[in-house]
Amino acid sequence: MRGQHVAALLTVALLYPIADSSAASVFRCVDADGHITFTRHGCATDQEQHLQDARNHTPSSGKAIPLADPGRRATTASASSSEVIIVGQQDDGCGNLLTNSERRQAIIRKEVRHGMSRAEVESSLGKPDRVTASNGQQRYHYKEKRKGGSSRQVSFDEAGCVKK
């Protein structure tokens, strides 16, 4: 009997839609200069306030999600100029002297290139046989394993990047 009650409750829960818990009130605030801010706490008194629909419909819910309207395009002073604006750029700490492709090729070929980090040198040549430091600069020393082999030295700057 108890199992039937649980089954009935589950059936009722599945048949009646529950309010969309992912919906949230989001306000679009526009100031006098045209800067836009989105917030859940309302806008300042000197800003124009619009209520945004922030529901995230589940896949296959049958509700169409409108896409951006290509006819409505915001134009700003920076958008009309030919200047390129980089919003986010990866910084490898060594001045981005190597592209990812160049870095990968150097490691595969067991080369050391200007702008590589210590970790990348170790990926290319392995752990150094000896490490020395002077004046805040570090050097990795490698000895050729075979008899009569030459030695190699890699110098790093204060930031840990291969020097020229």
Side-chain angles (χ1 to χ4, degrees):
M1 184 75 169
R2 184 175 181 186
Q4 291 176 345
H5 290 297
V6 172
L9 287 174
L10 286 173
T11 304
V12 170
L14 291 174
L15 289 177
Y16 291 101
I18 300 173
D20 189 4
S21 61
S22 64
S25 295
V26 176
F27 297 97
R28 179 178 188 257
C29 308
V30 183
D31 66 8
D33 295 329
H35 296 127
I36 299 172
T37 306
F38 293 96
T39 179
R40 295 181 70 192
H41 305 289
C43 301
T45 57
D46 61 335
Q47 294 178 331
E48 186 179 328
Q49 175 175 305
H50 303 279
L51 186 61
Q52 292 292 123
D53 182 17
R55 281 178 286 181
N56 189 10
H57 299 292
T58 57
S60 72
S61 66
K63 299 175 184 172
I65 299 172
L67 300 175
D69 182 8
R72 272 185 53 200
R73 203 171 168 116
T75 57
T76 61
S78 62
S80 63
S81 69
S82 61
E83 177 184 352
V84 175
I85 299 173
I86 299 174
V87 176
Q89 178 178 347
Q90 181 180 353
D91 183 12
D92 65 3
C94 293
N96 293 339
L97 298 174
L98 299 172
T99 65
N100 288 336
S101 177
E102 292 170 332
R103 183 176 290 111
R104 187 172 44 255
Q105 287 298 321
I107 291 171
I108 290 170
R109 294 177 181 153
K110 300 202 179 295
E111 298 174 347
V112 175
R113 307 264 315 263
H114 174 62
M116 290 175 78
S117 68
R118 289 184 191 116
E120 292 163 349
V121 169
E122 288 183 20
S123 292
S124 180
L125 302 178
K127 295 281 185 192
D129 296 315
R130 186 170 54 110
V131 177
T132 59
S134 65
N135 297 331
Q137 297 180 0
Q138 206 171 38
R139 286 187 192 90
Y140 281 7
H141 300 271
Y142 293 93
K143 288 188 178 180
E144 194 67 37
K145 303 299 182 210
R146 58 190 163 162
K147 191 174 184 178
S150 62
S151 64
R152 184 174 195 173
Q153 177 178 305
V154 181
S155 298
F156 299 95
D157 61 10
E158 295 83 11
C161 303
V162 174
K163 290 173 55 174
K164 281 188 178 183

